[in-house]
Amino acid sequence: LGEAVGRALASEVGAEGMVLLIDTEAGPAAESAAGLREALAAVPTVRLLEVPDVTQALPQLAAAAAVVCPDHGRLRELLAAVGSRALPPLYTVGWSPWLIEACALADSPIAGVAVTDPAIAARRATPCLDPEAEPVSVSPPLEAVVLTPAQLVAAFGRGEEAVGPGAADP
């Protein structure tokens, strides 16, 4: 998932842009940070600045073209710390009930969320009822995409959450 964010940022940040990564030490968020590092390493014009926590990230925000925070707890902490101050585009990975609520806000601070491509995952997880079709395998890795907040709410929300502000009609 971090690689998907890195690919998206490589084209969006532009020349001499700095991406601020609020890192995490373990778990899936750390794996995503490693994928981000790998993807951005291939783009010499993008500088990656890693900080271990929100406190150290705050002074760097003004110089950042984008912020990546794979850990939703730290992302929540960052948003609380900056209050109404303007932020560079924020990116994260995966989903959580809190993130869906944050993405459903009309003025969501989130610019992109890397997830497994919902359309591909749904196709692989839904049985094909054509008796002549080849069986679909779920063993190959699923593709990752970066969704907008409205797309995340539409794909991962439930009930009324699925049609939040800016979400496409089904």
Side-chain angles (χ1 to χ4, degrees):
L1 297 177
E3 289 176 42
V5 171
R7 286 190 304 271
L9 288 176
S11 63
E12 291 179 28
V13 168
E16 305 302 318
M18 188 262 285
V19 174
L20 179 62
L21 170 63
I22 302 173
D23 202 357
T24 188
E25 297 174 2
E31 292 172 23
S32 292
L36 173 76
R37 282 187 207 98
E38 184 177 315
L40 290 181
V43 185
T45 59
V46 176
R47 185 170 64 102
L48 181 64
L49 176 62
E50 298 183 46
V51 294
D53 57 40
V54 170
T55 305
Q56 292 181 23
L58 292 173
Q60 306 298 329
L61 291 175
V67 176
V68 180
C69 186
D71 183 304
H72 295 179
R74 287 189 177 169
L75 184 56
R76 206 175 343 192
E77 182 184 341
L78 173 67
L79 293 174
V82 297
S84 61
R85 234 172 54 190
L87 285 167
L90 298 176
Y91 290 82
T92 191
V93 299
W95 72 278
S96 66
W98 171 82
L99 185 64
I100 291 172
E101 288 177 18
C103 286
L105 298 172
D107 59 347
S108 177
I110 310 301
V113 182
V115 298
T116 300
D117 187 326
I120 293 171
R123 181 168 186 235
R124 288 190 182 165
T126 303
C128 176
L129 299 179
D130 181 354
E132 296 177 17
E134 292 285 324
V136 177
S137 170
V138 289
S139 60
L142 296 173
E143 294 179 36
V145 295
V146 177
L147 301 180
T148 66
Q151 291 170 323
L152 182 81
V153 171
F156 288 83
R158 295 184 314 269
E160 292 177 14
E161 292 174 12
V163 186
D169 291 330

